[in-house]
């Protein structure tokens, strides 16, 4: 058994898997005062992630909550659903949004009227939705980190040779011979630790409609950062992280002002975010950085497994960027004509006390008339706000 694991380990860490021809793990040994990334350094990100979780709790209580109060962010009063074992079992095991036919059945088993069952499910769904103050706390925490990370990335790129080496010479992005700078070390540890903390806190964070895409993004980012660290693609990795951090703080600031009810300020920051997002993630990343790591290297040496793995992760991130860009453009189109507040396509809004009654009234009208106008049910023009 041990011999099998030993042979498997030797196979996995073969130079030809991780490096282009002529390079290998021996080239990453410290020498002549030059320091290179080490695999053991990645373990340091675990205590960093735990520190981030602790700092976040302290930040949200000592900074986020008072700031929410200063900006007038308040939670709406929520009426809790009356305990009902039959409805609770259906809610947890079957669906949070029962079909009309199921509502009638649930009405018989629970002893409630149809209207009471609808109201119970609406209140129960609202109980699971995060409060506005919680969402404000999360947005303020992420805004703070992304803003600091952006300037940390600039600090890591002070060395002009990093810009000229990675951006102008694509073979430099795969060069394992460049020594590690202290600024790059801490930038990597902070970024990787932060994304690990996001994965660890995923159960308590605000869940949105793109929850699955967010998980894929976090995992792909962690793998990309870790892989680029292991094989010393530090300069390319630093630029990739900086490109992502550039727009994230703008998005979180738009959320902050949205929760505070500052409509015009929210729209301003969201417009800036949309523009920066499209430029950095749909132009600079694919046509500048991915081109640097994918196209030109093939003119220097044949492809190898690490080459496909690294660029494959970039393609996964790029597909997610296209997906989010579509949502962003839909949001921009919605608020521009009427200058309304931005509606976050990824979030569902808290249901009001009259929504079920309005929906029931619409169904009765349709049933009474025999059909809806033009073959369609009446449109609900209420839009949810950015959550």
């Amino acid at each position: 058994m041990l011999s099998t694991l030993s042979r498997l380990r030797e196979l996995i860490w073969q130079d030809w898997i991780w490096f282009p021809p002529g390079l290998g793990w021996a080239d990453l040994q410290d020498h002549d005062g030059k320091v290179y990334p080490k695999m053991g350094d990645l373990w340091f990100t675990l205590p960093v992630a735990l520190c981030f979780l602790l700092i976040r709790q302290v930040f949200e209580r000592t900074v986020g909550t008072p700031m929410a109060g200063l900006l007038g962010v308040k939670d709406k009063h929520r009426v809790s659903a009356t305990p009902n074992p039959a409805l609770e079992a259906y809610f947890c095991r079957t669906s949070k949004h029962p079909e009309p036919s199921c509502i009638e059945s649930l009405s018989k088993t629970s002893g409630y009227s149809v209207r009471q069952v609808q109201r119970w499910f609406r209140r129960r769904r609202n109980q699971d939705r995060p409060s506005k103050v919680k969402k404000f706390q999360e947005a303020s925490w992420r805004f703070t980190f992304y803003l600091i990370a952006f300037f940390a990335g600039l600090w890591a790129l002070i060395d002009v040779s990093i810009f000229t080496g990675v951006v102008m010479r694509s073979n430099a992005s795969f060069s394992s011979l460049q020594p590690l700078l202290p600024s790059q070390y801490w930038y990597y540890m902070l970024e990787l630790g932060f994304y690990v903390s996001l994965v660890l806190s995923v159960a308590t964070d605000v869940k949105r409609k793109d929850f699955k895409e967010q998980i894929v993004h976090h995992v792909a980012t962690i793998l990309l950062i870790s892989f680029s660290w292991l094989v010393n693609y530090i300069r390319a990795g630093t630029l990739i992280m900086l490109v992502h951090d550039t727009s994230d703080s703008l998005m979180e600031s738009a959320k902050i002002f949205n929760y505070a009810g500052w409509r015009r300020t929210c729209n301003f920051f969201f417009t800036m975010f949309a523009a920066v997002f499209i430029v950095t993630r749909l132009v600079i990343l694919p046509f500048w950085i991915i081109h640097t790591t994918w196209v030109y290297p093939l003119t220097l040496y044949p492809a190898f497994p690490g080459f496909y793995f690294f660029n494959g992760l970039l393609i996964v991130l790029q597909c997610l960027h296209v997906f989010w860009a579509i949502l962003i453009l839909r949001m921009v189109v919605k608020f521009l004509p009427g200058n309304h507040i931005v509606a976050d396509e990824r979030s569902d809004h808290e249901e009001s006390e009259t929504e079920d009654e309005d929906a029931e009234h619409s169904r009765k009208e349709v049933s009474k008339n025999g059909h809806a106008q033009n073959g369609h049910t009446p449109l609900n023009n209420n839009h949810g706000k950015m959550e």
Side-chain angles (χ1 to χ4, degrees):
M1 182 65 179
L2 293 177
S3 60
T4 302
L5 293 176
S6 179
R7 286 195 298 269
L8 180 60
R9 181 179 179 181
E10 291 179 0
L11 177 62
I12 292 176
W13 298 106
Q14 290 290 320
D15 290 345
W16 63 270
I17 296 178
W18 300 81
F19 299 94
L23 293 175
W25 296 110
D27 296 301
L28 296 183
Q29 299 298 319
D30 297 345
H31 61 86
D32 300 330
K34 296 180 180 179
V35 179
Y36 296 91
K38 302 293 185 300
M39 185 187 309
D41 295 335
L42 295 178
W43 292 108
F44 180 63
T45 60
L46 294 180
V48 171
L50 295 177
C51 287
F52 270 127
L53 293 176
L54 178 61
I55 294 172
R56 174 179 177 175
Q57 295 299 318
V58 175
F59 178 90
E60 290 183 351
R61 288 184 173 88
T62 61
V63 179
T65 301
M67 186 181 299
L70 290 175
L71 295 179
V73 180
K74 298 180 180 179
D75 291 329
K76 293 181 179 179
H77 174 69
R78 292 178 177 177
V79 179
S80 300
T82 304
N84 188 293
L87 298 182
E88 184 68 26
Y90 188 93
F91 181 88
C92 297
R93 300 173 185 174
T94 306
S95 175
K96 297 180 180 180
H97 299 270
E99 297 293 332
S101 59
C102 296
I103 291 180
E104 295 179 0
S105 176
L106 289 171
S107 174
K108 297 177 181 179
T109 58
S110 64
Y112 287 176
S113 67
V114 171
R115 181 67 59 81
Q116 288 175 325
V117 172
Q118 292 174 332
R119 184 178 295 112
W120 188 94
F121 273 91
R122 170 177 47 75
R123 291 177 176 177
R124 184 63 180 84
R125 288 192 296 268
N126 282 341
Q127 286 180 214
D128 285 352
R129 291 187 173 98
S131 67
K132 182 180 289 188
V133 171
K134 176 177 174 56
K135 289 183 285 189
F136 181 93
Q137 292 172 333
E138 181 178 303
S140 61
W141 161 248
R142 295 194 180 193
F143 165 77
T144 302
F145 174 81
Y146 289 134
L147 185 64
I148 294 174
F150 172 72
F151 287 105
L154 292 179
W155 174 49
L157 293 174
I158 289 177
D159 189 349
V160 178
S161 65
I162 297 178
F163 283 102
T164 58
V166 175
V167 177
M168 303 303 295
R169 301 284 186 182
S170 47
N171 64 324
S173 63
F174 287 95
S175 174
S176 298
L177 304 179
Q178 299 295 329
L180 176 68
L181 300 177
S183 58
Q184 293 172 322
Y185 172 86
W186 287 109
Y187 183 50
Y188 257 76
M189 294 300 104
L190 291 176
E191 286 278 359
L192 187 54
F194 178 75
Y195 279 103
V196 171
S197 73
L198 291 182
V199 173
L200 296 177
S201 63
V202 68
T204 57
D205 284 348
V206 176
K207 291 182 175 60
R208 306 181 187 279
K209 294 178 182 178
D210 63 344
F211 174 76
K212 295 181 180 179
E213 289 81 4
Q214 286 284 358
I215 294 298
V216 173
H217 174 269
H218 295 340
V219 173
T221 301
I222 291 173
L223 291 175
L224 183 66
I225 297 175
S226 300
F227 181 83
S228 64
W229 177 266
L230 286 176
V231 295
N232 200 24
Y233 299 168
I234 298 298
R235 294 183 293 176
T238 302
L239 281 175
I240 293 169
M241 291 187 291
L242 180 61
V243 164
H244 284 75
D245 292 334
T246 302
S247 60
D248 287 338
S249 61
L250 294 173
M251 179 60 183
E252 299 303 329
S253 62
K255 292 180 183 179
I256 289 174
F257 288 112
N258 171 62
Y259 301 143
W262 296 22
R263 176 177 300 179
R264 294 186 180 276
T265 307
C266 169
N267 290 349
F268 171 76
F269 277 103
F270 185 81
T271 303
M272 290 183 59
F273 160 75
V276 174
F277 183 96
I278 291 174
V279 171
T280 56
R281 304 200 189 188
L282 298 187
V283 179
I284 294 178
L285 183 63
F287 297 107
W288 191 11
I289 298 179
I290 294 182
H291 182 275
T292 293
T293 62
W294 184 289
V295 178
Y296 187 73
L298 295 179
T299 65
L300 303 174
Y301 41 73
F304 55 98
F307 169 88
Y308 289 118
F309 183 74
F310 184 76
N311 287 285
L313 292 174
L314 286 177
I315 295 301
V316 171
L317 292 180
Q318 189 57 49
C319 291
L320 291 174
H321 296 160
V322 173
F323 168 76
W324 283 319
I326 294 174
L327 297 183
I328 291 170
L329 291 177
R330 288 172 58 182
M331 293 160 66
V332 171
V333 169
K334 280 186 176 181
F335 85 86
L336 281 179
N339 195 31
H340 297 303
I341 201 161
V342 183
D344 192 343
E345 292 286 341
R346 305 176 303 157
S347 302
D348 57 349
H349 64 287
E350 187 166 335
E351 299 166 272
S352 66
E353 289 292 328
T354 60
E355 285 190 10
D356 287 334
E357 286 77 359
D358 292 342
E360 180 67 19
H361 177 72
S362 298
R363 284 195 292 270
K364 288 182 178 179
E365 287 296 322
V366 171
S367 176
K368 179 180 178 181
N369 296 332
H371 59 83
Q373 289 183 327
N374 299 324
H376 298 283
T377 57
L379 294 177
N380 183 357
N381 293 323
N382 295 326
H383 299 292
K385 295 182 180 181
M386 179 188 295
E387 299 292 340

